[in-house]
Every structure is written in C-alpha cells, then in structure tokens.
Amino acid sequence: MDLRNLPYYVPNSNPFMELKDIIKESALPFLPAKTLMRFRAVCQDWRHKISFPFFHHYQSLHCRSISALFCQTSQNPPVFIPIDIPKSCGVPDPSLSFLPEPVVIRSSSHGVLCCQGRNGDRPYYLCNPVTQQWKILPQPTADHGDDPKLVLIFEPSLLNFKPEYNLICAFHCADFDETGFEIYSSKNNAWNVSGEFCFGVERDKLRSGIHINSVAYWPVKSGGILSFDLKKDRSIYLESFMDYNGCILGTFGGRLCKVFIFDNAMYVKVLINIHTNTMSYDDIPWDEDYPYEMWTRRPVLDSDDTDMPLDDLTKVVAVTRYTVVVKRRNRFYSYDFQRQRSKRIRSPPAESPYVICVPYVNSLVSF
C-alpha cells in the first residue's frame, strides 16, 4: 500500500520512530512539572528538550488539570497538598520562601500564583513555584483594601508564544459607593482602572473568584454573582440565588457551575443560559421546549453514595472539570463524578484552620 494515497499522510513524518522519540515528542508535554524537572537527568537530549522555552509553552497548553491545593492559615506560610498524584506532582519549596518576603496567596491560574506581601506596601507577586521564577508588580492606583478580591487570568494559547497575564481586582469606589475594576496587564506591566462600574454590589461581600474564557466571576455573599468580561470591558450582575452560605463557583465540564452542600447532599448547578438574567419575568416565553432556566442541575451526591463527609461542617473548596474537593475542619476529600469515586487526601497537620485554599496546576509556564 502506498502511504501517499492516504488522506492523513504527512510527507516528513517518520513511521519508524523509536519508542524514546515517541515518548519525548508525544508524552512529555502531558506530564506534571515536577516529573519533568526530574526527567531532565535522563539524558542530555531530554534535558535540552525540557529546558527549551517553547516546550514550557507547549506543556502549559496540555497540562491544565488541577493537581493540588495551596492552603494557608491566617498566620503561617502556605503548604502544598497534592490531590491525585502525590509522588509525581509537587514543588521544591511549598512555603514559597524563595520570594523576598512572607506572602499570602491570593489567586492562581494554570500554574501561576498571585501572592501578596505581608510587609510594607504589601506588593503583589506573580510566581511559578516549580521553577521558582517570580516578578513583583507595580503598585496599583486604587485602594484594594485589606482583603483584595483578585482573579488572576492566564489562559495559554497556541498562537501566543509569550505568556500574557491579567490580574483583575474588584475594589470599592468610595466616591460613588460602587464596585470598580482595576486590571494589571503583563503586556504593559501597568495597572489600569476600567471605566466600567457595577452599582448595588458591595465589594466586602464578594468571595474568592474564578475565571472562564477571560471572564472573572465573584460569588456575592448576599446572593448573586458579579462578573467582569476582560475582553469586552463589561460587568454583569447575575441574579442568581447562591443557595447557601457555603456555595462556591467552579467549572464543571468547561462551564461555570456553583456547588453547595445541604441536608447531607452535594448539589452541582451548571450555567446554561446567561441571557435569561437580562429578561423580565413577563418576557420569558413559558414554553416546555424553551431553555428559560439559567442553571441546570447536574449530579447530586448523597451521603449514602459516598464515604466522604457531607454534613454542616463540610465546606467545598475547589471544583474543576468533574472533580470536587471538600474540607471538613483540616481534612480534605475529593470526589470524581465521572469515576464515581471518593478519596481522602493526605495533608500535613495544622494547628489552626486553613482560611485559604487555592487550586493549583503543575505547570512549567515561564514569565
């Protein structure tokens, strides 16, 4: 058979590649950063391959699953808690002592951490805990408060070889008693206050936010969700009942979701129609086939279906893809909805409760 007659024939491809070359080209980009750092010792060829900046970029495109949490008490340095693969996923310095001062972890995105210093002007830092690369950000112009509501947005793109980061802070504008947005851009290495404001949402009632497709979302304690679209420079307040105080936002199957625990069961609701939020009650065509619902209920996990605790002391701390991580006191558990399997996550003992739990991706992304 002449291979050239096949529709997927590539003239320069080599059908007789050795196994070591297949692994190097096709498997390495999908491995976590800690494993890759160790694999540099395999041979000189692998060391050169893994150390190449383009490989860092390529690995960040493929390694996107959350593999661990960075957790922190109110006074102590952060600790690293692996979720799925503790032997191959880690960082050389989980306390982030390579930074010039003690820090508080504020946000994370695809392997990049945003931290805030505890001393002086309390500057922001961006860092990669695996490579220990870091940079200090210029001081913002707005007052972000003692507990800044930050969302770090880093979305690796095949067409954008140089990584670009954006840090969005929802701050209180005292002049008009409203919520404003200040954005740091790594492209310009500068902060810029958006001309967009959101009325009726108090910044102090915002919880930790997430991002999906360049849109930042913050749950509001009193109910609802505040969103800011980075590309459109536009904010929207979603009239969404957050169900219960422990409700958090995450991603489920690539969509925005909210997860909460009530009456010994875990509920997952996925956003399916954001436009319903802009319609009045009288405008909604109440037809069976019309998708007027903003949220759809997905899996419901009952306490009878798992040995994972789902009581009033259990708090959801992370939601990604199809995995949910919960914390009961300082013990962590994960549940995989696809495999329908729960597990206890090993974590170091802590003298006081973890008040910060930030999901982390083990990536080689560089600045």
Side-chain angles (χ1 to χ4, degrees):
M1 178 183 295
D2 189 352
L3 293 177
R4 290 173 295 181
N5 294 327
L6 297 178
Y8 50 79
Y9 173 70
V10 180
N12 295 326
S13 64
N14 182 4
F16 305 105
M17 290 179 63
E18 296 185 17
L19 178 60
K20 65 180 182 66
D21 295 323
I22 295 176
I23 294 175
K24 183 178 69 173
E25 298 298 329
S26 303
L28 289 184
F30 294 88
L31 298 179
K34 179 183 178 181
T35 300
L36 293 171
M37 297 296 278
R38 288 173 24 214
F39 279 2
R40 292 182 303 175
V42 171
C43 63
Q44 187 66 27
D45 188 29
W46 278 32
R47 181 179 183 85
H48 176 75
K49 174 78 174 180
I50 296 172
S51 302
F52 194 55
F54 183 77
F55 178 81
H56 294 181
H57 173 69
Y58 196 57
Q59 189 260 359
S60 68
L61 292 173
H62 294 86
C63 189
R64 296 195 174 194
S65 298
I66 291 177
S67 54
L69 299 172
F70 267 99
C71 298
Q72 195 168 13
T73 64
S74 57
Q75 298 296 329
N76 298 327
V79 297
F80 184 84
I81 301 178
I83 296 177
D84 294 323
I85 41 178
K87 292 184 178 180
S88 60
C89 172
V91 293
D93 185 3
S95 65
L96 308 182
S97 62
F98 60 88
L99 294 174
E101 62 174 306
V103 295
V104 178
I105 296 179
R106 295 300 186 189
S107 184
S108 175
S109 180
H110 293 109
V112 183
L113 287 183
C114 172
C115 308
Q116 185 176 24
R118 293 183 180 269
N119 304 324
D121 294 332
R122 303 180 64 198
Y124 296 124
Y125 297 90
L126 295 183
C127 70
N128 184 335
V130 175
T131 63
Q132 299 190 16
Q133 286 183 301
W134 61 273
K135 67 178 294 186
I136 187 171
L137 305 189
Q139 284 293 322
T141 58
D143 181 8
H144 291 183
D146 296 331
D147 183 20
K149 306 304 179 182
L150 298 165
V151 174
L152 175 63
I153 297 181
F154 165 53
E155 296 175 343
S157 169
L158 183 62
L159 302 178
N160 192 0
F161 176 72
K162 185 177 180 180
E164 293 185 4
Y165 314 85
N166 290 278
L167 185 62
I168 304 176
C169 180
F171 69 94
H172 176 67
C173 183
D175 294 339
F176 303 99
D177 194 23
E178 59 195 3
T179 298
F181 306 92
E182 187 168 21
I183 303 101
Y184 167 80
S185 168
S186 64
K187 185 176 182 179
N188 303 321
N189 192 33
W191 291 89
N192 178 55
V193 176
S194 170
E196 178 76 2
F197 295 92
C198 186
F199 296 90
V201 177
E202 298 181 28
R203 188 208 68 92
D204 293 339
K205 292 186 177 181
L206 300 181
R207 296 201 197 101
S208 298
I210 67 165
H211 75 89
I212 302 175
N213 297 327
S214 298
V215 181
Y217 299 92
W218 295 268
V220 184
K221 293 180 182 178
S222 57
I225 300 171
L226 174 64
S227 71
F228 180 82
D229 191 318
L230 181 65
K231 295 181 179 179
K232 298 180 179 179
D233 194 30
R234 179 189 177 193
S235 67
I236 299 177
Y237 179 73
L238 303 180
E239 295 284 354
S240 172
F241 180 50
M242 289 305 291
D243 301 293
Y244 298 96
N245 190 44
C247 188
I248 74 163
L249 299 180
T251 60
F252 193 89
R255 291 177 175 267
L256 179 70
C257 74
K258 54 182 181 179
V259 182
F260 62 94
I261 296 173
F262 175 71
D263 197 19
N264 295 323
M266 178 187 294
Y267 298 85
V268 180
K269 293 186 177 181
V270 180
L271 180 67
I272 57 172
N273 188 1
I274 194 173
H275 300 292
T276 303
N277 183 72
T278 63
M279 301 177 67
S280 67
Y281 185 87
D282 295 333
D283 292 335
I284 296 178
W286 296 98
D287 187 288
E288 264 186 22
D289 298 327
Y290 185 80
Y292 59 85
E293 292 287 348
M294 182 185 299
W295 302 86
T296 182
R297 180 173 294 183
R298 288 301 170 88
V300 177
L301 181 63
D302 193 86
S303 58
D304 296 334
D305 302 327
T306 176
D307 55 359
M308 184 173 66
L310 295 174
D311 54 26
D312 294 339
L313 298 177
T314 306
K315 179 182 178 182
V316 183
V317 296
V319 188
T320 173
R321 295 176 66 87
Y322 300 100
T323 301
V324 177
V325 181
V326 302
K327 177 175 73 73
R328 190 181 189 275
R329 294 189 171 93
N330 275 350
R331 293 185 177 182
F332 294 85
Y333 305 82
S334 69
Y335 185 83
D336 189 321
F337 279 101
Q338 287 186 315
R339 299 179 181 178
Q340 298 183 348
R341 184 185 306 169
S342 64
K343 63 176 291 187
R344 166 82 182 276
I345 300 174
R346 294 182 180 180
S347 59
E351 298 177 356
S352 55
Y354 291 120
V355 296
I356 297 175
C357 296
V358 177
Y360 172 73
V361 176
N362 210 228
S363 171
L364 278 175
V365 61
S366 57
F367 296 95

